Amino acid sequence: MHTASYRSVGDAVQGLKSISEIVGCLDDRLSIRRSDLGDKGIWYRVIMGQFDDLFDAKNMASALEQKGLYARPMDFASAGLLF
């Protein structure tokens, strides 16, 4: 699940820490992935996963949105794990 995007690795690390504090013990499910968006440049996405199925991911997205976080289920299987 995509929870945030940043232009720099440093900002992504800080964002991951902030999200981890908000969601509590789920920090072991958070990671940073580098995404090359072509003309838009390189972005670093904070993602949460893995989920057993789309239903579980959507339930978690709803819970995160209730806490004021951005949360969009996405398939990151082909993206490279950075952290």
Side-chain angles (χ1 to χ4, degrees):
M1 177 167 344
H2 181 200
T3 59
S5 294
Y6 300 93
R7 298 289 285 188
S8 74
V9 172
D11 288 345
V13 170
Q14 290 297 9
L16 183 144
K17 289 178 183 178
S18 296
I19 292 167
S20 179
E21 290 174 6
I22 293 169
V23 299
C25 64
L26 296 175
D27 61 337
D28 61 325
R29 295 178 68 182
L30 292 170
S31 60
I32 297 171
R33 294 195 184 185
R34 181 181 184 271
S35 297
D36 185 344
L37 302 180
D39 292 344
K40 294 181 182 181
I42 303 296
W43 287 80
Y44 298 90
R45 292 178 171 169
V46 178
I47 62 151
M48 178 184 288
Q50 297 204 346
F51 297 94
D52 291 333
D53 54 40
L54 185 57
F55 179 79
D56 288 344
K58 286 183 177 182
N59 281 340
M60 178 58 78
S62 178
L64 294 174
E65 288 170 347
Q66 289 176 2
K67 293 182 179 201
L69 296 173
Y70 173 85
R72 294 295 176 269
M74 298 178 77
D75 181 6
F76 286 99
S78 63
L81 180 64
L82 184 61
F83 293 155

